[in-house]
Amino acid sequence: MRPIRAACLGTATALVTLLACAPVAASATTDTGAAHDKGKHQVITLVGRLAQQNRFPIVDPTHPSQGDRTVFRSELYDENDIDKVGETNGTCTTTLADGGGAEVCVVTYTLPGRGQLSVQGMVFGHLNAGPPPSFDNGITGGTGEFDRARGSVHADTIGVGKRRFTIDLYL
């Protein structure tokens, strides 16, 4: 009886060791921080002109509330605001209707012939009077030459319905 118990204990010990080492091996192969060191860095500056925007309130159209949605489309121009180079399309959902408001947004930047960038993040203060505030969102991926893209997008309001987008891109 003792040899069977010893064999089972040895098998169990080997299985526990194998399972304990598996996450360590997996985490060693998924170093996402190294992408910034190994990838190609690029900064793209674009000007966006708001083309369409619709708000969809869920309760009262005169008072923003949690769950309200905004859907928009903007045309993208080169950094000199002369040549049209693409467009953005996105949706934002209000998550906080007090203190200036907060929205979580998902946006796609489409640059024909180059690909698309997927971006998401928070925008704060959109309910305050005056020009919309600046914001930073994260690049979550892309297509075409932007395949496996990472980085961020910084947006500044530069006029009525106009923003400057600075895309800090790692490929």
Side-chain angles (χ1 to χ4, degrees), residues 60-122:
D60 179 358
T62 61
H63 294 91
S65 61
Q66 191 174 42
D68 287 357
R69 300 197 86 184
T70 300
V71 179
F72 61 90
R73 182 179 75 80
S74 297
E75 295 178 340
L76 293 174
Y77 291 82
D78 64 10
E79 66 184 309
N80 298 315
D81 196 15
I82 297 170
D83 295 322
K84 184 177 175 188
V85 296
E87 66 179 45
T88 62
N89 294 278
T91 182
C92 297
T93 303
T94 300
T95 58
L96 176 67
D98 298 328
E103 292 181 318
V104 62
C105 300
V106 177
V107 182
T108 300
Y109 291 71
T110 303
L111 301 172
R114 296 184 73 183
Q116 297 178 352
L117 284 169
S118 299
V119 176
Q120 107 180 34
M122 297 295 296

Side-chain angles (χ1 to χ4, degrees), residues 94-169:
T94 300
T95 58
L96 176 67
D98 298 328
E103 292 181 318
V104 62
C105 300
V106 177
V107 182
T108 300
Y109 291 71
T110 303
L111 301 172
R114 296 184 73 183
Q116 297 178 352
L117 284 169
S118 299
V119 176
Q120 107 180 34
M122 297 295 296
V123 176
F124 298 97
H126 66 284
L127 298 176
N128 291 332
S134 299
F135 62 86
D136 294 289
N137 286 171
I139 296 171
T140 58
T143 65
E145 74 177 60
F146 306 120
D147 182 40
R148 301 177 193 223
R150 292 290 178 258
S152 62
V153 175
H154 177 78
D156 288 312
T157 299
I158 58 173
V160 177
K162 196 182 270 192
R163 290 187 188 251
R164 177 180 303 107
F165 297 106
T166 304
I167 302 169
D168 195 16
L169 187 63

